[in-house]
Amino acid sequence: MSVKVPLNVPENASREVILRHAKKLTKNAEQRKVLSYFLQDCCILRHFGLKDADYEKLVQSKIESLNLKERAINKIGLDEEEISEIPPVNFIGYWIDDNFVRETESGKYVSSTWMSTWLFFSKTQIYVYEYSFCMCADAKEENTEEYFYKDVTSISTTSESVTPKWFAQKGGCIFSKKGVASRQIDTTKFQIVVPGDKFKVAMDSSEDIERMVQAMKQQLRDKKSN
């Protein structure tokens, strides 16, 4: 699961209604800047607000300030030596579903919620720590999961097409007169499949990440064959 923008408005709400409800969520100047980055429909005002690089720096700064690897180990409750069968893996990505989304000038999609997931590996289990945070409201979610290797059906990456409820157009004004523009976006997620359930998290694709996923797959094969 992940944090969703806690915005309770009808599907066909007008831009005025969306903005009014969204502004109530913000608690400080930084959150208001983020909200404007995603929802400001005045091109002139947007020119003086956050740029794409500014927003991503804010996200990175927030992630670094939380020290999530240490937080994850404390939540799991084991010594780091006990969960170092293979090097831990960290996935970071924007959670597109049910959040404010914007296409950057480079063509990348960013959202108002990011997710960081740490995976640790003991001799018998996979330990998962997931933290998601909304940048425009005081909303976060923290989860831990444990999976025995013998119970895991597969580890993989998966591609999904999602249609965010609130999508900001690149260039020009964000909203149409009838409401928020929509667009189908292809996303990549990491998943652990067990009988009757799937655990999915956001991830940014890269060659390094793919190598990590392959290492996890090999670890699972080795454990299941022993």
Side-chain angles (χ1 to χ4, degrees):
M1 297 298 291
S2 173
V3 169
K4 299 178 181 180
V5 175
L7 189 62
N8 186 22
V9 296
E11 291 286 336
N12 60 346
S14 68
R15 64 181 182 180
E16 289 81 8
V17 171
I18 292 171
L19 284 169
R20 185 167 64 251
H21 280 253
K23 286 177 180 177
K24 293 179 181 178
L25 301 177
T26 60
K27 304 297 182 183
N28 54 54
E30 182 178 290
Q31 291 177 357
R32 286 189 286 275
K33 286 182 180 179
V34 170
L35 181 63
S36 292
Y37 173 73
F38 283 101
L39 293 183
Q40 182 55 256
D41 60 337
C42 173
C43 301
I44 296 175
L45 292 178
R46 282 171 54 204
H47 178 74
F48 295 100
L50 290 177
K51 305 300 186 293
D52 296 333
D54 298 330
Y55 177 64
E56 297 219 61
K57 285 179 182 177
L58 276 180
V59 170
Q60 188 60 37
S61 177
K62 183 66 178 179
I63 293 172
E64 291 173 358
S65 72
L66 291 168
N67 198 4
L68 291 175
K69 182 180 180 182
E70 182 178 336
R71 190 176 182 129
I73 293 171
N74 290 335
K75 284 285 184 180
I76 291 169
L78 296 174
D79 293 333
E80 194 164 356
E81 293 76 15
E82 298 178 85
I83 46 177
S84 299
E85 185 78 359
I86 63 173
V89 174
N90 181 215
F91 295 122
I92 296 176
Y94 291 101
W95 190 259
I96 301 296
D97 316 43
D98 296 321
N99 285 288
F100 299 135
V101 177
R102 175 170 173 154
E103 182 181 6
T104 67
E105 289 300 322
S106 66
K108 177 182 178 179
Y109 293 105
V110 297
S111 84
S112 52
T113 292
W114 55 263
M115 175 186 288
S116 178
T117 306
W118 279 93
L119 293 93
F120 301 90
F121 306 86
S122 72
K123 294 182 183 294
T124 58
Q125 289 178 266
I126 302 172
Y127 296 86
V128 182
Y129 172 81
E130 171 203 306
Y131 187 100
S132 55
F133 186 87
C134 180
M135 292 294 291
C136 62
D138 287 342
K140 65 181 173 69
E141 187 168 309
E142 205 172 11
N143 295 305
T144 58
E145 299 286 348
E146 299 178 16
Y147 301 99
F148 285 97
Y149 293 114
K150 62 182 179 64
D151 296 328
V152 177
T153 304
S154 67
I155 289 173
S156 64
T157 57
T158 181
S159 296
E160 294 182 357
S161 294
V162 298
T163 304
K165 292 181 179 179
W166 304 287
F167 177 75
Q169 301 279 26
K170 181 177 70 173
C173 287
I174 292 177
F175 296 111
S176 66
K177 291 182 179 179
K178 294 183 179 180
V180 183
S182 64
R183 179 184 296 185
Q184 193 172 72
I185 297 174
D186 293 330
T187 64
T188 301
K189 295 174 182 174
F190 171 79
Q191 66 177 8
I192 297 175
V193 180
V194 295
D197 195 18
K198 293 181 180 179
F199 178 84
K200 296 183 181 181
V201 298
M203 59 171 284
D204 287 335
S205 299
S206 70
E207 290 184 1
D208 287 342
I209 291 296
E210 187 56 37
R211 282 194 289 271
M212 292 179 188
V213 173
Q214 292 305 318
M216 285 187 282
K217 288 181 177 180
Q218 186 59 52
Q219 173 78 350
L220 179 62
R221 285 193 291 266
D222 291 345
K223 292 297 182 180
K224 281 184 168 290
S225 63
N226 294 331

